[in-house]
């Protein structure tokens, strides 16, 4: 897991279990590190960065992608929620490795996965190739084989396409979080921005602010931790911290500029049987028998449609669907996990096969 340290304190995302934390502690001691304790990275950043909460922090480790949500309460900052998702660096590299294999087999009939030396070169070089392709649109990697050198060339779009299944759980989780906490701030480590396809995932999460975490930012915050207020016996792992005496300077908070990012217009109406029904702060309940005044009753006999299926709501310029069903709701083919934002032009499918509804934006 990514770990940063300063002044004897080490910041990390919540570890999967105590055994992993114990192994990390043993390794740091073996390396001669002076250890005062561990702190949660998101809680630390919330204690330093003075912005409207919540603070949503993305993390990438070898085995997983994760999201941490932190906030402030009085004089303290604390981790509020942590979501661990399947995937991570290993899953991304495996997806790119299969793409590289298929490309080389098609172009040269050489299968690099049948040669241990070639496979090792690919595994080592693919992350840098992907990062270069994300920046420039295309990148190449030289591979030495027993019969000579080969050059593998891949595009940003190719790499993004195979990464999509790995990143999809992150996209769904961010959709739900931004629908519920859209006034908050999303912090993205710079390393994640080197992943082709990540910009589209982040653009789909409509937080009020998008900021980049550059290398050294967490270390600067660690050096500001007060000694006495969190000093305890043993080696603690703190998910709640006092607010730091100094707030992060403006130059430390870099606005995140996504490639090709366009402002997304939120839906104002849902179209049903030729009628455009407005989305309001009161909420429009949809289902076979929603049983509420102002609700939209959908036909009986539609497979996968619940009695009280979902609610569509628009508030403060943001439209969202809140799913109540046991059969599921899908937005543009992706299942809604609790709730999701509703951009204009999207298609909302209720149930399976269910019924499809179009979301539109109409002028005043």
């Amino acid at each position: 897991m990514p770990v940063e340290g300063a002044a004897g304190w080490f910041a990390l995302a919540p570890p999967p279990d105590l055994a992993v934390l114990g192994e990390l502690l043993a390794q740091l001691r073996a390396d001669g590190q002076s250890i005062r304790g561990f702190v949660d990275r998101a809680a630390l950043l919330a204690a330093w960065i003075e912005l409207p909460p919540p603070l949503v922090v993305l993390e990438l480790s070898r085995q997983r992608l994760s999201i941490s949500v932190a906030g402030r309460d009085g004089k303290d900052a604390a981790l509020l929620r942590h979501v661990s998702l399947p995937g991570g660096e290993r899953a991304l590299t495996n997806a790119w490795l299969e793409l590289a294999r298929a490309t080389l087999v098609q172009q040269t009939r050489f299968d690099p996965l049948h040669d241990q030396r070639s496979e090792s070169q690919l595994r080592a070089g693919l992350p840098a190739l992907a990062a270069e392709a994300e920046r420039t649109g295309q990148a190449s990697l030289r591979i030495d084989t027993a019969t000579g050198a080969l050059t593998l060339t891949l595009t940003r779009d190719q790499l993004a396409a195979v990464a999509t299944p790995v990143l999809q759980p992150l996209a769904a989780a961010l959709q739900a979080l931004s629908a519920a906490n859209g006034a908050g701030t999303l912090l993205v480590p710079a390393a994640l921005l080197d992943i082709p396809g990540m910009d589209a995932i982040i653009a789909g999460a409509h937080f009020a602010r998008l900021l980049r975490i550059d290398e050294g930012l967490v270390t600067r915050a660690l050096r500001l931790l007060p000694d006495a207020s969190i000093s305890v016996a043993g080696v603690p792992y703190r998910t709640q911290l006092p607010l730091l005496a100094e707030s992060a300077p403006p130059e430390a908070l870099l606005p995140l500029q996504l490639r090709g990012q366009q402002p997304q217009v939120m839906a104002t109406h849902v179209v049903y049987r030729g009628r455009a029904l407005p989305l309001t702060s009161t909420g429009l309940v949809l289902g076979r028998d929603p049983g509420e005044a102002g609700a939209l009753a959908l036909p009986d006999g539609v497979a996968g449609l619940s009695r009280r299926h979902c609610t569509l709501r628009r508030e403060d310029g943001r439209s969202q669907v809140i799913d109540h069903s046991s059969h599921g709701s899908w937005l543009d083919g992706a299942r809604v996990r609790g709730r999701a934002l509703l951009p204009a032009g999207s298609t909302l499918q209720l149930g399976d096969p269910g019924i499809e509804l179009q979301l539109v934006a109409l002028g005043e």
Side-chain angles (χ1 to χ4, degrees), residues 199-233:
D199 56 345
I201 301 295
I202 296 169
H206 300 268
F207 290 93
R209 287 159 297 279
L210 300 177
L211 300 177
R212 189 177 78 224
I213 307 176
D214 277 350
E215 186 176 354
L217 187 70
V218 172
T219 301
R220 290 173 63 181
L222 283 170
R223 292 196 178 104
L224 299 173
L225 279 174
D227 294 344
S229 59
I230 54 176
S231 179
V232 297

Side-chain angles (χ1 to χ4, degrees), residues 60-126:
L60 174 68
S61 68
R62 184 160 179 76
Q63 299 289 356
R64 60 182 177 147
L65 288 157
S66 62
I67 307 171
S68 296
V69 183
R72 292 184 169 202
D73 181 13
K75 297 181 179 180
D76 294 325
L79 176 69
L80 304 177
R81 183 181 178 189
H82 178 75
V83 180
S84 184
L85 302 166
E89 293 173 350
R90 182 190 291 271
L92 283 167
T93 300
N94 286 342
W96 294 332
L97 190 64
E98 180 56 32
L99 171 65
R101 185 202 68 80
T103 301
L104 287 172
V105 168
Q106 183 180 28
Q107 293 177 351
T108 68
R109 297 188 179 182
F110 173 71
D111 188 345
L113 303 191
H114 288 171
D115 181 277
Q116 186 174 2
R117 180 185 177 190
S118 299
E119 180 178 347
S120 296
Q121 289 180 59
L122 278 173
R123 284 192 179 276
L126 278 171

Side-chain angles (χ1 to χ4, degrees), residues 108-343:
T108 68
R109 297 188 179 182
F110 173 71
D111 188 345
L113 303 191
H114 288 171
D115 181 277
Q116 186 174 2
R117 180 185 177 190
S118 299
E119 180 178 347
S120 296
Q121 289 180 59
L122 278 173
R123 284 192 179 276
L126 278 171
L129 179 147
E132 178 64 20
E134 171 59 22
R135 290 189 291 269
T136 65
Q138 179 175 293
S140 298
L141 176 66
R142 176 190 168 99
I143 307 165
D144 295 319
T145 73
T147 58
L150 294 175
T151 299
L152 170 69
T153 301
L154 296 173
T155 68
R156 178 197 297 133
D157 291 345
Q158 287 177 299
L159 292 158
V162 298
T164 295
V166 180
L167 300 178
Q168 187 54 48
L170 177 64
L174 283 177
Q175 273 273 332
L177 276 173
S178 63
N181 303 284
T185 301
L186 180 66
L187 297 181
V188 184
L192 267 70
L193 300 174
D194 287 337
I195 299 173
M198 183 61 76
D199 56 345
I201 301 295
I202 296 169
H206 300 268
F207 290 93
R209 287 159 297 279
L210 300 177
L211 300 177
R212 189 177 78 224
I213 307 176
D214 277 350
E215 186 176 354
L217 187 70
V218 172
T219 301
R220 290 173 63 181
L222 283 170
R223 292 196 178 104
L224 299 173
L225 279 174
D227 294 344
S229 59
I230 54 176
S231 179
V232 297
V235 179
Y237 173 51
R238 290 291 187 178
T239 58
Q240 182 170 338
L241 301 167
L243 301 185
L244 301 185
E246 294 181 30
S247 294
E251 64 270 15
L253 307 176
L254 302 173
L256 179 56
Q257 299 297 324
L258 300 176
R259 176 176 48 83
Q261 182 181 11
Q262 298 292 330
Q264 201 161 35
V265 178
M266 290 286 107
T268 62
H269 293 69
V270 59
V271 178
Y272 178 65
R273 291 185 173 176
R275 291 190 302 145
L277 306 174
L279 308 183
T280 68
S281 59
T282 303
L284 178 66
V285 181
L286 287 70
R288 287 187 293 103
D289 183 19
E292 300 183 23
L296 177 59
L298 300 172
D300 278 324
V302 177
L305 196 61
S306 297
R307 182 185 63 81
R308 189 173 182 273
H309 198 98
C310 66
T311 299
L312 309 185
R313 177 175 290 125
R314 179 173 173 80
E315 196 167 11
D316 297 328
R318 297 163 57 84
S319 305
Q320 61 178 283
V321 55
I322 304 168
D323 185 44
H324 313 302
S325 72
S326 56
H327 303 287
S329 300
W330 281 261
L331 184 65
D332 294 331
R335 184 161 187 169
V336 175
R337 303 295 180 181
R339 63 178 71 201
L341 294 172
L342 295 174

